[in-house]
Amino acid sequence: YEGEMTFFHKHGTARNHADYVLPEAQSVIMVALPYWTEDFDQTRAILADSQAAYVSRYAVGRDYHKVLRSRLKQLAQYLSTLVPEGIHRPVVDSAPVSEVSFAVQAGLGWRGKHTLLLQKNTGSFYFLGALLTSVKIEPTEAINGHCGQCSRCIQACPTGAIVGPHTVDARRCISYLTIEYGGSIPEDLRPTMANRIYGCDDCQLACPWNKFAQPSVLADFAVRPGLQDVGLAELFAWDEASFLRRTEGSPIRRIGHEKWVRNIAVALGNAIRQGPDSATAQAIAATLATRLDDPSALVREHVQWALAQHPRLPPAPPF
């Protein structure tokens, strides 16, 4: 189910052994940092607006890798004052470490049926980080899961990517398709993506435990200018220089301009289908047509598909 994420096989079961990353490791300190910053109604309103651009809420602020790594370094410095001879290594998606597995063992929560870590008091909207250390620390106890018979996350997945409790088929997951995957998005999945152009939060939004989500107090995770109440057409018009400038310091930048435009083209095609006879649909089609001669064959293909969602438009020329 991993799709093109071959790194899962590259390191295999070593991901569950801290000494694979830090040979001197005796303990793993797991931390969770909340990132949710807005009202749930605001989030759902964006999803309900076919012409609005939906970006997974973890990515609307500053790149979490930098924020969390800085805090883990501070924790390592503090630990060094207690045990000067200790060796420490902070990890934030930067080494083959199974963060969720370690977090479960550390008693931070349990693995939900959507595969994310869940906590009773805070839900799942937080980033995980690990501090590997040579200092031997008394371990905390794992806790039991509390999902019970609930399957709301499974039912909420737009593409049916959660194929069973605790199992996600990445090849169908919108987060994978819009972020990790670099090819042509399967046509049968494009309509289910709606206006989600970078990631997806549906399984988390459906989870009852997230009604207890604690808002982040960090300004770093607030929605950055340019991503607040922004329309698909506006983002589609960004050239590569604009994309790089506007996503500086953002996790969005890693997907590159080509995939960014590809994703938005799909969303615009879905918006057209919401009202094919309206002047709005004609305006969306005009926006899409600006990239019919895009240098990228990948972009042109998705633009053509998007235009084809308007039944009254003549077919676009072959890309």
Side-chain angles (χ1 to χ4, degrees):
Y1 292 143
E2 80 283 359
E4 294 185 350
M5 296 183 290
T6 56
F7 54 83
F8 282 115
H9 293 295
K10 180 179 180 181
H11 301 287
T13 58
R15 299 173 64 85
N16 294 312
H17 299 275
D19 55 4
Y20 177 71
V21 175
L22 182 68
E24 300 86 355
Q26 293 293 316
S27 307
V28 179
I29 302 174
M30 292 302 305
V31 301
L33 184 64
Y35 65 80
W36 193 262
T37 59
E38 66 185 15
D39 185 89
F40 278 82
D41 289 339
Q42 291 177 285
T43 305
R44 293 190 176 97
I46 298 171
L47 283 168
D49 183 351
S50 64
Q51 295 184 64
Y54 187 81
V55 173
S56 180
R57 305 334 268 170
Y58 88 84
V60 294
R62 188 180 176 214
D63 191 338
Y64 69 92
H65 298 88
K66 300 176 181 179
V67 178
L68 195 47
R69 177 176 289 277
S70 174
R71 296 201 160 209
L72 285 170
K73 286 181 178 179
Q74 292 179 42
L75 179 59
Q77 291 171 357
Y78 172 71
L79 195 56
S80 293
T81 66
L82 304 178
V83 186
E85 67 275 16
I87 301 172
H88 321 294
R89 178 174 175 179
V91 173
V92 185
D93 295 343
S94 54
V97 170
S98 183
E99 288 96 340
V100 176
S101 296
F102 282 128
V104 169
Q105 294 177 64
L108 280 185
W110 71 93
R111 189 186 288 271
K113 292 180 182 178
H114 47 26
T115 74
L116 303 171
L117 192 78
L118 275 171
Q119 297 180 351
K120 264 189 172 183
N121 299 324
T122 57
S124 61
F125 289 111
Y126 43 74
F127 300 120
L128 294 177
L131 182 63
L132 281 53
T133 176
S134 62
V135 179
K136 190 156 184 72
I137 302 173
E138 187 69 24
T140 46
E141 293 185 6
I143 62 176
N144 295 323
H146 296 280
C147 288
Q149 299 301 310
C150 179
S151 59
R152 292 187 191 179
C153 59
I154 298 174
Q155 297 164 4
C157 180
T159 59
I162 308 177
V163 295
H166 318 294
T167 307
V168 173
D169 185 344
R171 299 167 299 177
R172 299 188 63 85
C173 177
I174 293 175
S175 287
Y176 169 78
L177 291 170
T178 56
I179 300 173
E180 302 296 337
Y181 182 57
S184 175
I185 296 172
E187 288 195 21
D188 63 317
L189 297 180
R190 295 177 191 179
T192 65
M193 293 167 58
N195 62 344
R196 301 168 184 85
I197 64 169
Y198 186 96
C200 179
D201 295 316
D202 286 42
C203 62
Q204 298 191 82
L205 292 172
C207 178
W209 289 110
N210 273 323
K211 66 184 178 183
F212 302 114
Q214 301 295 312
S216 173
V217 297
L218 295 182
D220 288 309
F221 298 146
V223 183
R224 66 191 296 156
L227 291 179
Q228 183 76 52
D229 301 323
V230 63
L232 293 167
E234 179 182 342
L235 299 183
F236 193 69
W238 288 2
D239 58 17
E240 186 168 16
S242 298
F243 171 80
L244 293 174
R245 183 177 71 254
R246 292 171 181 266
T247 59
E248 186 173 1
S250 162
I252 295 173
R253 199 181 209 196
R254 65 183 286 260
I255 72 169
H257 183 250
E258 182 183 44
K259 286 197 287 185
W260 175 253
V261 176
R262 175 202 64 180
N263 298 345
I264 300 172
V266 172
L268 286 169
N270 292 329
I272 279 182
R273 298 211 324 273
Q274 297 295 316
D277 297 321
S278 69
T280 300
Q282 293 288 347
I284 295 172
T287 296
L288 283 162
T290 63
R291 290 195 180 274
L292 275 173
D293 59 351
D294 193 275
S296 165
L298 182 69
V299 169
R300 296 197 302 272
E301 181 220 330
H302 287 76
V303 166
Q304 282 202 353
W305 174 87
L307 286 168
Q309 305 314 297
H310 195 311
R312 295 181 179 274
L313 286 178
F319 69 90

